[in-house]
């Protein structure tokens, strides 16, 4: 039962991965935390469901990882790879190679509920079906007045809190109302679950780079229940705009030769749904007694569209900074600016390189072709280096390290000067229907 007369230390708005992680750590640290979510769990969230490695230790601490694996609601991705713009395919099995479990796949309907319940079990008060509709700061008292409305035309409730954390997703009405965000999310992505039994997807996860879609891509992940998650990312800088998403989503699913080869042509599933992505980080994610975390802070990799691990890592940094600020008795803007610096150092600066890579990929698709050539020549060791960078374990600037960049240069030159080499023409053909 939420106590409307009490003054909370922190009110977190939004119980996605960012909000629940932040609430979990703060409550565990002994602070009085209110976590408000406009939906009731279980609730779906449009997503590719690929949870990269940086998130795993946090999920383990929350008890969520073990439970989801035990209940067979999550599974690690082992086999997979990518298909380059020219159709060169590389696929391997990373688990049998070095045991690296880089990506966990879990439907958000399960993940988000488990995380919110973990935050509640740690002591946060979880208010479901409470949409925050207003927040105003009273500098003299050093506290926020929060207005929330119960589902539908339900009654309005008011809460007081010393700190407000906006974890309300890519559109972040709160972040916009409070002046942290001034622009719309830049990218958009579709999702459709395709039913187990109706597809013949042979991998755990695969990325497809149709030339027309660059710098966007198609991602397919196998879920623990055998469904596959089919996503099309449209990223700025390419041929398509957000309004093209529905058409491109269906056309690729129905007639792209690489995708139909892997899924079959008789797939059944839900209708396409879509949601926006705010990528690359916002300029200022803090204010007086105020932080923004996760998608609200734009903590999504501009190259891969992945944001769950950054939402979780960023939220843990926010919680650490807030605990410190409470201990020091200073919740002002300068004190909370440390949060922004810390997440920028941890992963935000690398978004710059991710954005450069995304642009380069769109201008020079043969880079990906050369990479696929090399992966086929050198095998899994080479591929795992790439996968570690793409999943954020190593920074994107490591793509420039000699071990990766030097072998890539002659491969690019071969592609540029000679065109497609006969060996790869064979490969290309052998992988088409
Ligand atoms: C189609 C698609 C595919 C994606 N695929 C991947 C992927 O495979 N891997 C990956 O890592 N990332 C992926 N992402 C990005 C990922 O979904 C986000 O980065 C992640 O969900 C961010 O978590 P969050 O907690 O910040 O926000 P969200 O998950 O959006 O959670 C925000 C929460 O706030 C609640 N809320 C909003 N407004 C209010 C309000 N006023 N009052 C109360 N509650 C409110 C919402 O109901 C929601 O529960 C994808 C995104 C899209 C759109």
């Amino acid at each position: 039962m939420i106590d409307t007369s009490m003054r909370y230390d922190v009110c977190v708005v939004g119980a996605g991965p960012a909000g629940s992680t932040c609430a979990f750590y703060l409550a565990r640290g002994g602070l009085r935390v209110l976590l408000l979510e406009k939906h009731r769990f279980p609730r779906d969230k449009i997503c590719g469901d690929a949870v990269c490695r940086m998130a795993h230790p946090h999920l383990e601490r929350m008890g969520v990882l073990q439970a989801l694996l035990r209940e067979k609601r999550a599974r690690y991705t082992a086999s997979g790879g990518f298909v380059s713009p020219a159709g060169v395919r590389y696929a391997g099995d990373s688990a049998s190679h070095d045991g690296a479990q880089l990506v966990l796949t879990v439907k958000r309907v399960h993940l988000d509920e488990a995380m919110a319940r973990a935050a509640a079990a740690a002591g946060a008060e979880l208010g479901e079906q409470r949409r925050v509709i207003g927040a105003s700061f009273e500098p003299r008292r050093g506290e926020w007045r929060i207005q929330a409305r119960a589902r539908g035309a339900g009654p309005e409730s008011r809460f007081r809190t010393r700190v407000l954390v906006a974890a309300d997703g890519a559109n972040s009405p709160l972040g916009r109302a409070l002046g942290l965000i001034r622009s719309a999310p830049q990218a958009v992505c579709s999702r459709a679950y395709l039913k187990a039994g109706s597809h013949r997807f042979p991998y755990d996860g695969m990325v497809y780079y149709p030339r027309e879609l660059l710098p966007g891509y198609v991602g397919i992940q196998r879920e623990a229940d055998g469904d596959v998650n089919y996503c099309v990312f449209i990223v700025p800088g390419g041929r398509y705009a957000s309004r093209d998403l529905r058409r491109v989503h269906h056309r690729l699913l129905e007639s792209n030769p690489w995708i139909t080869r892997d899924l079959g042509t008789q797939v059944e599933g839900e209708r396409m749904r879509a949601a926006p992505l705010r990528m690359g980080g916002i300029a200022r994610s803090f204010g007086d007694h105020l932080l923004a975390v996760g998608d609200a802070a734009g903590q999504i990799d501009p190259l891969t569209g992945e944001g769950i691990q950054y939402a979780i890592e960023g939220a843990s940094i926010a919680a650490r900074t807030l605990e410190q600020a409470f201990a020091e008795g200073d919740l002002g803007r300068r004190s909370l600016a440390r949060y922004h610096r810390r997440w920028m150092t941890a992963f935000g600066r690398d978004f710059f390189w991710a954005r450069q890579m995304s642009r380069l990929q769109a201008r020079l698709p043969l880079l990906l072709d050369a990479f696929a050539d090399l992966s086929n020549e050198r095998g899994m060791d080479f591929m795992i280096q790439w996968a570690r960078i793409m999943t954020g374990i190593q920074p994107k600037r490591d793509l420039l390290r000699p071990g990766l960049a030097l072998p890539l240069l002659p491969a690019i030159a071969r592609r540029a000067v000679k065109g497609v080499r006969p060996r790869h023409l064979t490969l290309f053909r052998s992988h088409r229907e």
Side-chain angles (χ1 to χ4, degrees):
M1 190 64 188
I2 299 173
D3 185 351
T4 49
S5 63
M6 178 160 102
R7 182 168 83 163
Y8 289 90
D9 293 320
V10 183
C11 172
V12 181
V13 179
S20 293
T21 304
C22 192
F24 170 83
Y25 282 118
L26 290 170
R28 208 177 65 158
L31 292 172
R32 283 165 303 183
V33 182
L34 178 61
L35 174 59
L36 296 176
E37 167 56 48
K38 68 181 178 185
H39 293 296
R40 189 166 70 182
F41 291 107
R43 65 106 179 86
D44 192 12
K45 154 79 176 83
I46 311 303
C47 186
D49 301 338
V51 183
C52 295
R53 176 84 150 260
M54 201 190 285
H56 301 179
H58 296 291
L59 294 176
E60 200 166 2
R61 249 167 254 144
M62 296 172 90
V64 165
L65 183 70
Q66 308 85 312
L68 289 171
L69 287 169
R70 197 173 54 242
E71 293 156 5
K72 301 205 179 334
R73 292 181 161 185
R75 70 197 300 272
Y76 284 111
T77 299
S79 65
F82 68 103
V83 182
S84 80
V88 183
R89 175 182 297 255
Y90 178 79
D93 191 326
S94 62
S96 62
H97 191 77
D98 78 342
Q101 292 180 314
L102 303 180
V103 177
L104 183 83
T105 309
V106 51
K107 286 186 173 175
R108 293 287 299 271
V109 68
H110 305 312
L111 177 72
D112 290 21
E113 175 166 28
M115 293 185 74
R117 302 273 176 246
E125 289 183 39
L126 172 63
E128 296 178 61
Q129 295 189 302
R130 304 265 187 159
R131 177 193 291 271
V132 170
I133 53 169
S136 56
F137 186 58
E138 293 188 10
R140 217 168 31 83
R141 290 170 176 264
E143 68 180 33
W144 290 90
R145 298 274 164 131
I146 311 292
Q147 287 164 264
R149 174 158 287 145
R151 190 180 166 79
E156 201 177 291
S157 31
R158 288 166 191 267
F159 308 98
R160 291 181 303 137
T161 180
R162 300 197 63 201
V163 172
L164 177 60
V165 175
D168 52 345
N171 282 320
S172 188
L174 204 54
R176 273 181 296 163
L178 300 176
L180 293 180
I181 297 170
R182 294 197 168 80
S183 57
Q186 310 93 327
V188 67
C189 182
S190 67
R191 185 202 77 187
Y193 284 131
L194 308 175
K195 273 194 201 140
S198 78
H199 65 80
R200 58 175 192 220
F201 191 58
Y203 308 109
D204 293 330
M206 200 74 179
V207 177
Y208 305 80
Y209 295 102
R211 192 183 299 264
E212 56 175 317
L213 193 57
L214 292 173
Y217 69 91
V218 175
I220 302 182
Q221 288 289 124
R222 176 186 295 280
E223 303 283 352
D225 61 7
D227 288 357
V228 296
N229 183 332
Y230 167 79
C231 282
V232 177
F233 286 81
I234 290 188
V235 177
R239 184 190 300 177
Y240 296 122
S242 305
R243 63 177 174 279
D244 301 313
L245 183 61
R246 183 168 298 279
R247 184 171 53 85
V248 176
H249 171 101
H250 288 293
R251 190 161 45 70
L252 291 173
L253 183 61
E254 283 153 22
S255 60
N256 179 280
W258 322 324
I259 293 170
T260 52
R261 179 207 144 172
D262 288 348
L263 290 177
T265 50
Q266 303 297 319
V267 290
E268 287 169 30
E270 63 170 357
R271 68 181 171 82
M272 185 204 102
R273 299 170 72 193
L277 297 103
R278 182 181 297 284
M279 306 189 300
I282 61 174
R284 182 169 64 84
S285 57
F286 59 93
D288 277 327
H289 297 234
L290 172 68
L291 294 182
V293 295
D295 279 12
Q299 291 168 341
I300 292 192
D301 183 323
L303 178 62
T304 64
E306 270 154 12
I308 300 172
Q309 65 173 352
Y310 301 112
I312 291 176
E313 179 71 13
S316 77
I317 295 171
R320 215 170 52 234
T321 308
L322 284 176
E323 279 185 49
Q324 191 183 355
F326 271 102
E328 294 165 356
D330 183 358
L331 301 169
R333 182 189 169 105
R334 286 183 58 176
S335 163
L336 299 193
R338 288 177 290 186
Y339 157 67
H340 191 87
R341 287 197 295 274
R342 286 170 182 168
W343 73 258
M344 284 300 286
T345 304
F347 56 82
R349 286 204 191 101
D350 202 46
F351 289 162
F352 168 80
W353 291 105
R355 185 166 279 135
Q356 303 314 313
M357 284 305 302
S358 169
R359 286 179 184 151
L360 190 62
Q361 205 166 271
R363 285 196 195 127
L364 208 61
L366 63 75
L367 200 63
L368 287 163
D369 299 324
F371 205 88
D373 290 342
L374 263 183
S375 301
N376 279 305
E377 276 165 24
R378 299 195 167 206
M380 207 59 203
D381 273 341
F382 192 75
M383 177 64 186
I384 281 187
Q385 286 187 60
W386 178 78
R388 290 176 64 83
I389 293 171
M390 294 308 274
T391 54
I393 293 170
Q394 286 175 236
K396 297 288 176 305
R397 62 177 181 275
D398 279 7
L399 286 166
L400 304 173
R401 281 169 64 162
L404 273 178
L406 287 183
L408 204 53
L409 291 176
I412 293 171
R414 279 200 300 270
R415 281 243 159 220
V417 174
K418 295 182 191 162
V420 182
R421 290 187 300 159
R423 197 157 74 86
H424 296 120
L425 265 177
T426 314
L427 240 179
F428 175 43
R429 285 203 195 102
S430 70
H431 287 305
R432 285 184 160 221
E433 288 286 274

